[in-house]
Amino acid sequence: MRLILLGPPGAGKGTQAVRLVERLGIPQLSTGDMLRAAVAAGTPVGLQAKAVMESGGLVSDAIVIGIVADRIEEPDAKKGFILDGFPRTVAQAEALDRMLADKGLELDAVLELVVDQDALVGRIIKRADDAKAAGQPVRKDDDPEVFKTRLAAYNRDTAVVAPYYEKTGKLKTIDGMQPIDAVTEAMKRAIGA
Ligand code: AMP
């Protein structure tokens, strides 16, 4: 199965992706995770992406599309994948369509987590506090001011991606304000899993 998880930062895409991975046995492909790994490793992509990520902006389409094109060629992605954090622009969505069409593949569903944006800053502060309490590193871009820039980038560039998929009939909207388990159940129902 090939899925996309959509929704603003802090909507719960990462949390839900982990649960769907368990259920479906296909990998989570998080462009945010891949970019953070590239930054940590100091690769050329990481060097280009670092400042943009720290400021809460979007990394260029060309870089992100290149990363995803390589990643979906890996053996573990052959039986399917859950894209988390990609596509974030219509240009990325169009590039993904072309990548899949070239391979004769199709998306199965696009799951959009719909949340109240006013609640998100509070969630992100909690995510940072939880990480701190667990002795884990706190993401630099989970700083409340940077988070606002990320939300603005979402509203400017990414909010239009859901309507793009609505036209294909693949979009399924999920109430992301429910408790975590209820969101997981709603997602599983939406894809018949
Ligand atoms: P995330 O972990 O999905 O919140 O992503 C963290 C950061 O990585 C974002 O704020 C962007 O700077 C960058 N990023 C991740 N995915 C993308 C993407 N598909 N397009 C552009 N930038 C991205």
Side-chain angles (χ1 to χ4, degrees), residues 7-10 13 30-36 49-61 63-65 68 84-89 92 127 139 141-142 146-147 149-151 153 158:
K13 298 185 298 296
S30 157
T31 43
D33 285 349
M34 293 180 229
L35 288 166
R36 279 184 288 277
K50 187 171 189 285
V52 182
M53 291 175 74
E54 284 179 359
S55 71
L58 291 186
V59 175
S60 76
D61 286 335
I63 288 185
V64 180
I65 290 165
V68 171
D84 161 13
F86 179 94
R88 259 179 162 93
T89 63
Q92 292 179 17
R127 175 154 94 187
R139 278 174 56 172
D141 61 354
D142 275 354
V146 178
F147 184 76
T149 307
R150 290 166 62 201
L151 208 49
T158 312

Side-chain angles (χ1 to χ4, degrees), residues 6 20 51 74 83 85 100 109 118 128 139 150 170 175 182 187:
L6 285 183
L20 291 176
E74 297 283 323
L83 281 166
L100 294 177
D118 291 337
R139 278 174 56 172
R150 290 166 62 201
K170 300 226 162 107
D175 174 4
M187 289 181 130

Side-chain angles (χ1 to χ4, degrees), residues 86-126:
F86 179 94
R88 259 179 162 93
T89 63
V90 168
Q92 292 179 17
E94 289 170 346
L96 178 65
D97 280 348
R98 285 193 296 273
M99 276 179 226
L100 294 177
D102 283 351
K103 297 175 197 297
L105 300 174
E106 274 199 39
L107 287 170
D108 292 278
V110 178
L111 300 172
E112 182 190 19
L113 285 173
V114 179
V115 292
D116 167 9
Q117 291 203 1
D118 291 337
L120 293 179
V121 179
R123 276 196 189 185
I124 228 68
I125 291 172
K126 186 173 179 310

Side-chain angles (χ1 to χ4, degrees), residues 5-23 26 28-30 33 36 82-85 111 113 115 120 123-124 126-128 130 136 139 142 150 176 178-185 187-188:
L5 299 189
L6 285 183
K13 298 185 298 296
T15 303
Q16 297 299 335
V18 170
R19 290 164 169 231
L20 291 176
V21 164
E22 254 171 49
R23 179 84 183 104
I26 50 177
Q28 168 194 13
L29 310 188
S30 157
D33 285 349
R36 279 184 288 277
I82 302 164
L83 281 166
D84 161 13
L111 300 172
L113 285 173
V115 292
L120 293 179
R123 276 196 189 185
I124 228 68
K126 186 173 179 310
R127 175 154 94 187
D130 287 350
Q136 291 161 356
R139 278 174 56 172
D142 275 354
R150 290 166 62 201
Q178 307 172 84
I180 293 176
D181 286 347
V183 174
T184 310
E185 287 313 310
M187 289 181 130
K188 286 181 186 165

